[in-house]
Amino acid sequence: MSSRQPIAAAPSLRIARRYVDVRGRRVHLREAGQGKPVVLLHDSPRSSRLHLGTMRLLAPHFRVFALDTPGYGNSDPLGVETPTIDDFAAALGDALKVLGLADAPIYATHTSAKIALEYAASSGRPPALILDGLSFPETLAPAAFVDAYMRPFTIDAHGAYIAAEWTRTRDMLRWFPWFATTAASRMAMETPSPEWIEQYTIDLFSAGPNYFGAYAAAMRYDCGPALRAITVPTLVAARRDDVLYGYLDRIPVAENPALSIERLESDRTAWGEWLLARLTDASASDVPVTAPSSTGYVAYEEGQIHVRHRGPEGGRPVLILEASSTLSAMQWQDALCATHDTVVPDLPGFGESEALDDPSAAGYLATLTTLAAQLGGKVDVLAVGPASYLALAFAEARPDMVGQLILDGAPERPADPAALCPPLAFDMAGGHLHRAWHMLRDGQVQWPWHSGTIAAQRKTEPTLDGEALHRALLGVIKQPAHYGDAMNAALSIADTPPVTRCPMLVFTREHDPFYAAAPRLGHATTDRPDTITEAAVVVAQFLTSAIAETESAA
């Protein structure tokens, strides 16, 4: 772990994201800029999010690729019970080959420095390697120490893990090891900024139970053999404020002419200039790079919409909308994807989808139009709760793009809609995480979520699974200032819901406030079964019969 905060430059730069398939696993990456390619790798438990500032610095000079290590950020884990650095190095080589980046210089820091070192030593690639912070202790940590340091990240359905992981995060910035809470173990370092801790927490929670994979592998890895065997020109560096600075003295430069070291001062601006210069020196030749792909993302005016696509392809996609999370939408996808092509987007402002400049209902309708066009031009739409109003407006505005419409919930606009998605300002005590968790959890059992009255109690079975709540929590904390944009846009048109003539299945539930407005939407209603699994049977029958009726009429 490093407390480094790369300098920021060119804040308006567009940084694209995508997935690539590598041996059946999805590898997530960020890319920006034009010119000769360079690759950036992150430490643990971070993700390519760590390099956003560095990418803005380098993109005017290079085409920059920042990869998420398997199990971190949005990349799938390796699927190995106890992965080694060799495993991660092999996975890195596979990813670089797929991307056409095997001959691009690599910058790697901390955990990824060991991954890149092993990859380079075993493959003879890349043409140049920059390792910024390389742990090289005289004796590897005992297994008991590694096990204690890498205490499992265990998600539970009650949210108790949030307090445990937040406390561990804070303690890792005070003591080494973090569990040795003594004066003698206190590290001589300043506490990073709240912004750094917030981003670190997002990455830690994104990795979740996978967070210790590469982290523990790095603790078990002996750098010595690779450092002595490597033939790739390798620069090992560290800043004075890096906890790994002292290991520079152990790099065997006298034994291997491919190695060199540099001791850097702590100034971040000087560090950025140094990195730019070293990558410029390393990028001597052009490298063919595979054409970009938007797999997992759909481009729109403000950026990209992150989508989860599951199910058999070929039929008309079912676009599943929810505001302002994907908690129930993901359950609907689980229930329908065996027989239907399903797509769950993070609506702009939530999760991995950039916020809209115009977060009005009109702005979201424009986004849905772009999304539907990318999905083939026509979709069926299943909307949950307040998102039903956006779905109705979309069907009214673009009947050519909407086949069938399913509405699972249509609540009345509450007296104080702003209370539904309150500000979630960062709290050094971790309170923002608990507020978001209980807001999501309470929303499954009452509407509005903050009401404790009997009239607010929902009647359908709630989704209280810890993993599902954790995914939704991540989506909220990634964009705490905008996660409520879609909810607010939907409720802004709830008092005068749009009218559409497309075939509709409207669920209702007696005495359930989440369905209170369903009877006045102008269509016959169907009683909502208790669970999404049961309701999905009704939806599948509706979609099949509606398509048959349309084909018969034609």
Side-chain angles (χ1 to χ4, degrees):
M1 182 184 70
S2 169
S3 60
R4 179 183 297 112
Q5 300 175 58
I7 63 174
S12 61
L13 177 76
R14 180 65 58 83
I15 296 177
R17 295 152 296 157
R18 59 173 164 134
Y19 295 91
V20 293
D21 183 88
V22 179
R23 296 183 180 273
R25 290 184 297 102
R26 294 190 316 164
V27 174
H28 183 261
L29 65 147
R30 289 174 162 87
E31 60 184 282
Q34 296 294 328
K36 297 173 182 177
V38 297
V39 175
L40 308 182
L41 304 177
H42 61 84
D43 60 359
S44 298
R46 298 302 308 270
S47 73
S48 57
R49 179 185 293 268
L50 171 75
H51 290 310
L52 288 173
T54 307
M55 293 183 76
R56 294 187 178 100
L57 171 70
L58 298 176
H61 310 276
F62 303 102
R63 186 172 175 188
V64 188
F65 295 82
L67 280 61
D68 286 350
T69 298
Y72 297 81
N74 290 344
S75 287
D76 293 339
L78 292 178
V80 178
E81 184 174 353
T82 307
T84 65
I85 287 296
D86 289 9
D87 295 323
F88 285 101
L92 173 61
D94 291 338
L96 295 176
K97 183 177 180 180
V98 169
L99 290 163
L101 293 170
D103 292 315
I106 294 176
Y107 166 84
T109 181
H110 285 225
T111 302
S112 67
K114 292 188 173 181
I115 296 171
L117 172 64
E118 180 59 33
Y119 162 69
S122 60
S123 69
R125 287 173 158 173
L129 186 61
I130 302 173
L131 307 180
D132 192 354
L134 179 66
S135 174
F136 188 19
E138 293 185 12
T139 304
L140 293 180
F145 177 91
V146 176
D147 291 343
Y149 196 88
M150 299 298 165
R151 172 180 57 77
F153 185 117
T154 305
I155 298 169
D156 63 83
H158 307 291
Y161 76 99
I162 295 173
E165 296 311 323
W166 182 254
T167 300
R168 171 162 58 178
T169 297
R170 297 293 309 280
D171 287 352
M172 288 180 80
L173 301 173
R174 295 186 176 111
W175 294 285
F176 184 83
W178 62 268
F179 52 81
T181 54
T182 65
S185 299
R186 187 68 190 261
M187 292 188 292
M189 62 175 285
E190 295 183 2
T191 300
S193 68
E195 291 77 16
W196 186 92
I197 298 176
E198 183 175 27
Q199 295 302 307
Y200 179 92
T201 303
I202 290 172
D203 281 341
L204 172 64
F205 277 55
S206 294
N210 299 308
Y211 95 95
F212 58 83
Y215 213 158
M219 283 190 169
R220 300 185 181 108
Y221 177 74
D222 180 7
C223 295
L227 284 170
R228 294 179 176 90
I230 196 166
T231 57
V232 170
T234 301
L235 171 60
V236 184
R239 295 190 325 184
R240 290 189 182 276
D241 61 348
D242 191 325
V243 294
L244 303 184
Y245 183 82
Y247 291 122
L248 290 177
D249 294 333
R250 296 206 66 233
I251 305 302
V253 291
E255 302 176 45
N256 187 344
L259 297 174
S260 61
I261 63 172
E262 283 196 54
R263 294 176 171 82
L264 308 175
E265 297 303 321
S266 301
D267 180 75
R268 289 194 301 275
T269 300
W271 170 84
E273 294 170 351
W274 166 82
L275 180 59
L276 178 58
R278 292 299 170 267
L279 287 172
T280 300
D281 293 341
S283 301
S285 59
D286 289 323
V287 177
V289 180
T290 56
S293 166
S294 59
T295 302
Y297 291 90
V298 172
Y300 67 109
E301 188 172 352
E302 278 80 6
Q304 293 176 293
I305 307 168
H306 185 247
V307 297
R308 298 169 181 84
H309 210 136
R310 293 175 62 196
E313 298 182 6
R316 191 158 64 205
V318 180
L319 182 60
I320 306 175
L321 306 178
E322 186 174 7
S324 277
S325 81
T326 56
L327 181 55
S328 295
M330 295 282 282
Q331 301 302 303
W332 271 108
Q333 186 173 53
D334 288 342
L336 291 170
C337 68
T339 54
H340 292 78
D341 183 11
T342 61
V343 180
V344 176
D346 290 348
L347 288 176
F350 176 82
E352 295 287 351
S353 297
E354 286 98 338
L356 294 174
D357 293 337
D358 171 25
S360 65
Y364 277 92
L365 294 185
T367 302
L368 292 177
T369 299
T370 299
L371 182 54
Q374 290 291 322
L375 294 174
K378 193 162 190 175
V379 296
D380 296 324
V381 180
L382 190 160
V384 179
S388 292
Y389 300 112
L390 291 177
L392 284 166
F394 180 45
E396 179 189 46
R398 295 304 304 261
D400 58 315
M401 285 188 154
V402 179
Q404 284 76 245
L405 192 59
I406 304 102
L407 306 182
D408 183 30
E412 299 283 4
R413 185 173 184 269
D416 183 14
L420 290 172
C421 300
L424 288 173
F426 175 83
D427 179 359
M428 194 63 87
H432 60 298
L433 299 173
H434 294 280
R435 289 195 297 274
W437 171 272
H438 287 289
M439 176 182 66
L440 292 163
R441 196 172 189 273
D442 291 349
Q444 287 291 304
V445 297
Q446 56 212 39
W447 176 269
W449 68 267
H450 51 78
S451 175
T453 66
I454 293 177
Q457 295 175 358
R458 294 180 57 180
K459 308 304 179 185
T460 54
E461 291 296 324
T463 298
L464 301 178
D465 172 71
E467 296 283 351
L469 285 164
H470 179 77
R471 286 194 300 267
L473 172 69
L474 269 173
V476 171
I477 66 175
K478 285 178 178 178
Q479 299 200 62
H482 295 284
Y483 76 96
D485 286 358
M487 175 84 79
N488 294 331
L491 292 175
S492 71
I493 57 175
D495 291 338
T496 55
V499 177
T500 178
R501 295 185 178 182
C502 74
M504 287 179 60
L505 171 63
V506 181
F507 282 121
T508 191
R509 187 76 182 221
E510 190 175 8
H511 305 307
D512 189 325
F514 202 65
Y515 299 84
R520 64 180 179 87
L521 296 181
H523 287 259
T525 59
T526 299
D527 189 50
R528 166 65 150 79
D530 288 338
T531 69
I532 287 177
T533 300
E534 294 169 318
V537 175
V538 180
V539 169
Q541 292 171 345
F542 167 75
L543 289 172
T544 301
S545 61
I547 291 174
E549 291 174 8
T550 301
E551 292 176 346
S552 176

